[in-house]
Amino acid sequence: DPNTIKNLSDLINNATGVGKFEVKGVIGKVINASIFAPKLIASRVQVFRFLWSPSQLARREAWRTLPRFFGTGAAILTAAKLSGVAEVELDPRSADFGKLKVGETRLDIWTGYSQYIRFLTQLTIAQRKTVGGRVHALNRWEVVDRFARTKFSPAMGLISDIARGETYLGEELPPKSAKSLAGQFYERMVPLAIQDLIDGIRQDGLIGGVNASVGFLGVGVTTFTDEVRREQDKV
């Protein structure tokens, strides 16, 4: 049945990060230049529609695959927390929600889904929990603004940062020194997996590098220093 084949292929595409995003003409080019991987963003929402797909085979596969994915992730977090291998943040108001914290390195195994849960939670209750554990009230527009900035392409992110006079992390722009300029070039041009590996080694040595190396397999990796944590608590 061609209809079933189409539904199954769409499910596979969505589950592997390729959603339907077809905006033609000038507007489509602008969106593709401004947003980082718009089809990936679309796939994270569209994949759930197959739970109610008119195709029985696609619907059955969605009900097998999605619970298995989230169930496996929950099992990994539970085993890591109970064994003491890693700390796990369960508060969806926190940027560390659903991540494995090993040393100073955070590992996100959810391929981006946890970002949407955190965004919706913060938008609903207008609160944010810092890495240090403090809870702050939020302006809902700020929540939307910060979330949108995380989806900008490198070029659009640079334009946005220059217009605001600061980076997403609050660093001053434009840089006042050659060292700061080199740092901006490094952050925007060097592949994220390599940056994560270097950050992990700097903070936790060889073990940190081993932990951060999973970034090459698609796991989200972030390493915070004690100084960064203290600065975040002041905000």
Side-chain angles (χ1 to χ4, degrees):
D1 176 13
N3 224 19
T4 297
I5 294 174
K6 178 69 167 57
N7 276 276
L8 285 172
S9 63
D10 286 346
L11 171 60
I12 293 170
N13 284 337
N14 283 178
T16 54
V18 184
K20 281 191 174 181
F21 185 83
E22 298 178 1
V23 181
K24 299 180 180 179
V26 176
I27 296 179
K29 292 180 180 179
V30 170
I31 292 176
N32 281 317
S34 303
I35 305 299
F36 183 78
K39 288 188 176 182
L40 173 62
I41 297 173
S43 72
R44 292 298 174 256
V45 178
Q46 293 172 354
V47 69
F48 293 101
R49 67 189 172 96
F50 290 98
L51 294 172
W52 297 273
S53 172
S55 166
Q56 182 180 3
L57 286 177
R59 186 170 64 252
R60 183 187 306 166
E61 187 60 32
W63 278 102
R64 290 176 57 194
T65 301
L66 292 173
R68 185 181 299 168
F69 169 74
F70 289 108
T72 300
I76 291 172
L77 296 185
T78 302
K81 184 176 180 64
L82 293 179
S83 66
V85 171
E87 298 176 28
V88 179
E89 174 61 73
L90 301 178
D91 192 332
R93 297 174 298 179
S94 171
D96 279 348
F97 170 66
K99 297 178 181 178
L100 296 166
K101 181 176 178 291
V102 183
E104 296 301 329
T105 299
R106 282 88 173 156
L107 307 177
D108 183 1
I109 64 174
W110 297 108
T111 65
Y113 286 106
S114 60
Q115 297 176 14
Y116 296 93
I117 297 175
R118 183 174 65 250
F119 167 69
L120 292 174
T121 300
Q122 292 181 348
L123 188 64
T124 301
I125 64 178
Q127 289 182 344
R128 174 174 70 92
K129 183 179 179 181
T130 68
V131 177
R134 294 180 60 186
V135 176
H136 297 278
L138 283 178
N139 180 296
R140 286 185 172 84
W141 169 248
E142 179 186 351
V143 176
V144 175
D145 178 61
R146 288 176 63 88
F147 182 76
R149 290 179 70 184
T150 65
K151 303 304 178 185
F152 284 161
S153 66
M156 187 62 185
L158 178 60
I159 294 173
S160 173
D161 291 348
I162 292 176
R164 296 165 186 265
E166 65 177 19
T167 68
Y168 182 78
L169 296 176
E171 300 168 339
E172 189 175 355
L173 275 178
K176 291 186 176 181
S177 67
K179 183 178 179 180
S180 298
L181 186 62
Q184 288 297 315
F185 177 84
Y186 166 79
E187 290 177 5
R188 298 178 191 278
M189 301 303 294
V190 175
L192 292 177
I194 295 178
Q195 292 187 43
D196 295 334
L197 181 63
I198 294 173
D199 289 343
I201 293 173
R202 283 176 176 171
Q203 186 62 24
D204 291 326
L206 182 60
I207 296 299
V210 172
N211 293 333
S213 66
V214 296
F216 290 98
L217 302 177
V219 175
V221 180
T222 310
T223 301
F224 286 106
T225 63
D226 291 336
E227 181 180 352
V228 170
R229 183 186 295 110
R230 287 193 295 269
E231 289 300 318
Q232 288 187 338
D233 273 354
K234 293 178 183 177
V235 177

